[in-house]
Amino acid sequence: MTLPVLKNDRFLRALNRESVDMTPVWMMRQAGRYLPEYRASRKNAGSFMDLCRNAEFACEVTLQPLERYPLDAAILFSDILTIPDAMGMGLYFEAGEGPRFERPVRTAKDIEALPIPGAEDELGYVMNAVSTIRKALNGRVPLIGFAGSPWTLATYMVEGGSSRDFRLLKELMYKQPEVVHLLLDKLAESVTSYLNAQIKHGAQAIQIFDSWGGALSWPAYREFSLQYMQKIIDGLIRENEGRKVPVILFTKGGGLWLEDMAATGCDALGLDWTISMENARQRVGDKVALQGNMDPAVLYGSPESIRKEVKRILDDFGPHNGHVFNLGHGITPFVDPEHARVFIEAVHEFSAR
Ligand code: 1CP
């Protein structure tokens, strides 16, 4: 089967630090609860995991933000917790409380018993979604595949759900580091095969979400998060369909560690809003592209204040190649969809060469 040519490739070009006609933009969590059409699809599907497990529904919600806005990339609709779910941990969502696991893992015995899930078997529904979305996109924009970092997945698996302080995982890390390494090793292997399967099914770029790596000390970040993301990057398929498959590494709160993140061989770093784009570019801009970095809370402001902040960030990055505009973390359910439009259109308007 011959694939349609990519009509808009400025996202992939920017990740390769090539010239673009305007700065590409997408939003983390762009398909989600701030969109009324998403809430309707979720109701039709029955639950969040039903949306993920059904390729037609996953495709429908992936495309919803692209129907509304001139976004430059689509991101697979799924979740980072599909892997621990496929390991048999019993993922469920309590209304308004986020993800939970029926059987958290807290001992060496628990962790030894965890299987490495088959990317084409237990996780085959995700690959189905990737193929279905890629086909429906028909070359409109590139499709991003993703996974959580081993450290970030481990926080949910040990704590049993979301956490503020990661007390149980950190306690285990300082008392029995070898047990945590056993878990992270299994996760790195699972994530690598999962991401490679996404690439084979049509993902054209990959983002690794290390949402909670920033909660670690500098040495602990290297030992318990970065090391395992490095392993994943070393094992990923880097070229497919005759084109490079860029890898974006996003550690929220990782601004102090950019040099080491860039040394992993990734193609781009995702930045949160705590760092200046200019500073980040001077430190690592000859090695990797940069993605970011507007505070999602700016979208609560007025259209004028949103436009002003977009302009500031573009100026902060300056007239160089290698910028993908994004929020510094996911868009929240409370954002007015019209404000997301103002944001996306302002990026294109102010950056048009
Ligand atoms: O409808 C609902 O109530 C479910 C809300 C929801 C959604 C829309 C969850 C549960 N996951 C998702 C989709 C999702 N999750 C995507 C889809 C693609 C897109 O971006 O449009 C992606 C990339 C994720 C990734 C994800 N899930 C992360 C990493 C990114 C981040 O925000 O830091 C994390 C930490 C999760 C766990 C998770 N799943 C769902 C929620 C509400 C959470 C976060 C819980 C927490 O804050 O601890």
Side-chain angles (χ1 to χ4, degrees):
M1 190 189 83
T2 50
L3 290 156
V5 283
L6 201 48
K7 290 163 200 128
N8 170 356
D9 69 348
R10 59 172 82 95
F11 169 68
L12 295 179
R13 290 184 59 86
L15 289 175
N16 288 325
R17 291 182 294 138
E18 295 166 32
S19 63
V20 284
D21 58 341
M22 54 182 81
T23 302
V25 55
W26 69 282
M27 299 185 295
M28 288 191 266
R29 295 288 186 94
Q30 63 192 22
R33 283 173 293 176
Y34 74 105
L35 291 177
E37 58 270 34
Y38 169 83
R39 297 194 296 267
S41 300
R42 187 180 187 268
K43 208 167 158 196
N44 280 339
S47 73
F48 169 69
M49 281 310 286
D50 290 329
L51 272 183
C52 296
R53 288 209 174 91
N54 179 313
E56 266 64 50
F57 273 124
C59 181
E60 178 180 304
V61 296
T62 299
L63 298 184
Q64 283 169 348
L66 288 121
E67 301 299 340
R68 267 189 188 251
Y69 316 120
L71 290 159
D72 296 301
I75 180 162
L76 161 69
F77 189 83
S78 190
D79 198 75
I80 63 166
L81 301 176
T82 51
I83 287 182
D85 180 55
M87 288 173 152
M89 293 186 57
L91 173 67
Y92 66 100
F93 287 85
E94 204 77 88
E97 285 199 49
R100 288 279 177 84
F101 287 108
E102 278 164 28
R103 293 171 291 280
V105 289
R106 298 196 174 137
T107 64
K109 208 166 144 244
D110 294 342
I111 292 163
E112 276 155 13
L114 287 175
I116 308 267
E120 308 279 356
D121 310 309
E122 294 92 330
L123 291 162
Y125 70 93
V126 179
M127 306 314 146
N128 253 334
V130 172
S131 314
T132 305
I133 296 162
R134 179 67 195 276
K135 206 164 145 207
L137 280 170
N138 194 27
R140 192 158 147 191
V141 291
L143 175 61
I144 305 167
F146 72 92
S149 74
W151 169 260
T152 293
L153 293 175
T155 66
Y156 292 96
M157 294 168 76
V158 172
E159 303 293 333
S162 306
S163 168
R164 226 178 260 214
D165 54 6
F166 314 110
R167 180 172 64 82
L168 298 172
L169 177 57
K170 283 191 170 182
E171 182 182 337
L172 197 60
M173 178 178 94
Y174 287 111
K175 274 189 178 148
Q176 292 180 282
E178 68 288 352
V179 172
V180 174
H181 282 303
L182 186 69
L183 175 58
L184 296 171
D185 238 335
K186 267 197 179 169
L187 286 169
E189 189 181 335
S190 305
V191 169
T192 306
S193 74
Y194 181 62
L195 289 176
N196 279 337
Q198 289 185 30
I199 293 168
K200 286 182 200 151
H201 285 264
Q204 291 151 292
I206 292 295
Q207 175 153 320
I208 302 174
F209 285 92
D210 186 27
S211 306
W212 312 125
L216 290 165
S217 73
W218 159 230
Y221 174 69
R222 274 200 298 195
E223 183 179 344
F224 293 92
S225 187
L226 191 63
Q227 178 188 185
Y228 291 95
M229 295 196 285
Q230 172 83 65
K231 270 197 183 175
I232 293 165
I233 292 169
D234 290 344
L236 285 184
I237 298 167
R238 300 306 288 276
E239 212 188 292
N240 196 38
E241 302 171 22
R243 200 159 179 161
K244 202 162 138 197
V245 183
V247 180
I248 308 162
L249 203 61
F250 171 62
T251 291
K252 185 163 175 287
L256 293 170
W257 310 324
L258 299 183
E259 290 83 351
D260 296 84
M261 290 166 68
T264 56
C266 66
D267 299 280
L269 298 181
L271 305 179
D272 67 29
W273 57 90
T274 59
I275 185 169
S276 123
M277 274 283 176
E278 189 196 8
N279 172 274
R281 200 189 53 76
Q282 282 180 0
R283 282 163 55 199
V284 295
D286 61 335
K287 271 216 181 77
V288 289
L290 296 174
Q291 177 177 279
N293 70 342
M294 193 173 91
D295 182 349
V298 171
L299 298 176
Y300 300 146
S302 65
E304 303 75 66
S305 62
I306 295 167
R307 286 168 58 83
K308 205 171 144 203
E309 184 62 2
V310 167
K311 181 85 170 59
R312 184 195 65 77
I313 292 168
L314 286 169
D315 291 345
D316 191 20
F317 189 85
H320 313 277
N321 291 341
H323 186 197
V324 172
F325 216 114
N326 204 319
L327 303 173
H329 201 191
I331 185 169
T332 73
F334 316 105
V335 169
D336 176 345
E338 280 313 302
H339 285 199
R341 177 191 310 287
V342 168
F343 161 66
I344 292 156
E345 291 182 351
V347 173
H348 286 164
E349 180 189 329
F350 293 138
S351 68
R353 319 284 196 253

